[in-house]
Amino acid sequence: MTGHPEIPLPGGDVTEGVVRVGDTVRRPTGPHSPLVHAVLQHLEAQGFDGAPRFLGIDEKGREVLTFLEGEVPGRPHPAWLTDPGRLASTARLLRRLDDAMVGFTPSPAMLAAVAPPELPGMPPAPDAPAELIGHMDITPENTVFRGGEAAGLIDFDLAKPATRLDEVTNLCLHWAPLAPQRDRSPALRRADAVVRIRLAADAYGLDDAGRAQFVPTAIRRAERSWHLMRERAETAGSGWRRMWEDGVGDQIRRRVAWLEAEGERITAELLG
Ligand SMILES: Nc1ncnc2c1ncn2[C@@H]1O[C@H](COP(=O)(O)OP(=O)(O)O)[C@@H](O)[C@H]1O
Ligand SMILES: [Mg+2]
């Protein structure tokens, strides 16, 4: 393990100090880390091959993970991000991940550490009970491709209790995406997001009950994230503050407006 240089791994959103050392990745830990480590160990025990292995804590107190070989779409996003096959393949990998997570029961302390604060003015979470511990940060930058197929999901820092619908909504948020054109990366600007939502739901195998709740759930999650992001900008690290200063709050408001405007079309496409 020693003797390898530390190569910075930028391209993520918020975590400072992510480095590659040989065939490992070193990342800072936080209150969420006991849950993440238990999740990765559960996935290993299940034989799920699409996530890094947790190898322990290094001499600097960082988590040590296996480096997954492959191609991770960074920013600016590559043009192939719009390829329907890439999205379908990511949705199928997410389905395999979620299926592997069923039956994993974290300790109450692990869950308490990731429970979102209920902030004044924040609407309640959708009332569907959690079905599993979800990844909940399924961005292109957290997806490893091999031979054009999604082979791995990394960065489990936002893992938390979720429904399958929450997972598909989160995938679509980043990959459809759930945003007006002005807020999309150039690669996805002209994509038909509504058609891509249907594609993602089909490839994942989302049931009709989930499809019927997609739009209200996406709106509610967006409204809650506005409050949560603002609070994180005030209390957490510089990455969160920078995102807020860059206007992520207004972007979330435009997402809600986009979902309200496209809602009927989305639901019709999902259930048609
Ligand atoms: N285990 C891994 N295997 C391969 N690449 C990784 C791994 N972990 C991180 N990376 C690369 O480093 C980037 C940032 O790491 P990530 O864990 O996503 O941190 P952040 O919280 O900043 O998003 C990723 O987008 C990816 O390109
Ligand atoms: Mg990341």
Side-chain angles (χ1 to χ4, degrees), residues 12-13 137 139 141-142 155:
D13 280 324
D137 194 18
T139 59
E141 294 84 353
N142 287 337
D155 190 358

Side-chain angles (χ1 to χ4, degrees), residues 117 119 225-236 244:
L119 303 165
S225 79
W226 186 91
H227 290 270
L228 291 166
M229 299 280 282
R230 187 179 58 171
E231 143 52 55
R232 261 179 227 146
E234 286 163 3
T235 60
W244 192 258

Side-chain angles (χ1 to χ4, degrees), residues 8-83:
L9 288 173
D13 280 324
V14 294
T15 313
E16 280 160 28
V18 181
V19 296
R20 178 174 179 176
V21 182
D23 53 10
T24 71
V25 172
R26 313 297 172 101
R27 305 175 82 264
T29 58
H32 58 281
S33 298
L35 175 63
V36 172
H37 299 160
V39 162
L40 296 180
Q41 284 167 331
H42 171 83
L43 292 172
E44 179 172 10
Q46 294 294 306
F48 178 74
D49 59 2
R53 298 289 179 238
F54 173 59
L55 301 176
I57 303 290
D58 75 4
E59 66 289 350
K60 292 181 181 161
R62 300 174 297 188
E63 63 185 16
V64 185
L65 309 174
T66 56
F67 182 85
L68 301 186
E69 290 296 343
E71 184 186 11
V72 179
R75 284 180 187 266
H77 284 150
W80 55 252
L81 213 62
T82 188
D83 172 0

Side-chain angles (χ1 to χ4, degrees), residues 248-268:
V248 75
D250 295 333
Q251 231 178 70
I252 293 170
R253 295 217 146 115
R254 290 194 292 272
R255 182 193 311 153
V256 171
W258 182 86
L259 283 162
E260 283 167 348
E262 296 289 339
E264 269 179 46
R265 223 188 117 213
I266 295 170
T267 304

Side-chain angles (χ1 to χ4, degrees), residues 128-210:
E131 296 167 295
L132 40 87
I133 300 299
H135 182 288
M136 295 302 282
D137 194 18
I138 309 130
T139 59
E141 294 84 353
N142 287 337
T143 313
V144 181
F145 285 88
R146 259 175 249 137
E149 294 278 311
L153 291 168
I154 58 172
D155 190 358
F156 283 69
D157 281 2
L158 297 186
K160 60 175 78 69
T163 61
R164 291 180 181 277
L165 171 59
D166 289 327
E167 289 276 82
V168 174
T169 305
N170 185 274
L171 169 72
C172 290
L173 167 62
H174 303 291
W175 279 89
L178 309 183
Q181 288 200 359
R182 63 175 283 190
D183 292 325
R184 300 182 187 181
S185 75
L188 291 172
R189 194 150 291 152
R190 271 181 292 279
D192 188 337
V194 178
V195 168
R196 286 167 68 82
I197 292 168
R198 169 71 194 254
L199 176 81
D202 286 354
Y204 182 91
L206 186 66
D207 63 15
D208 281 353

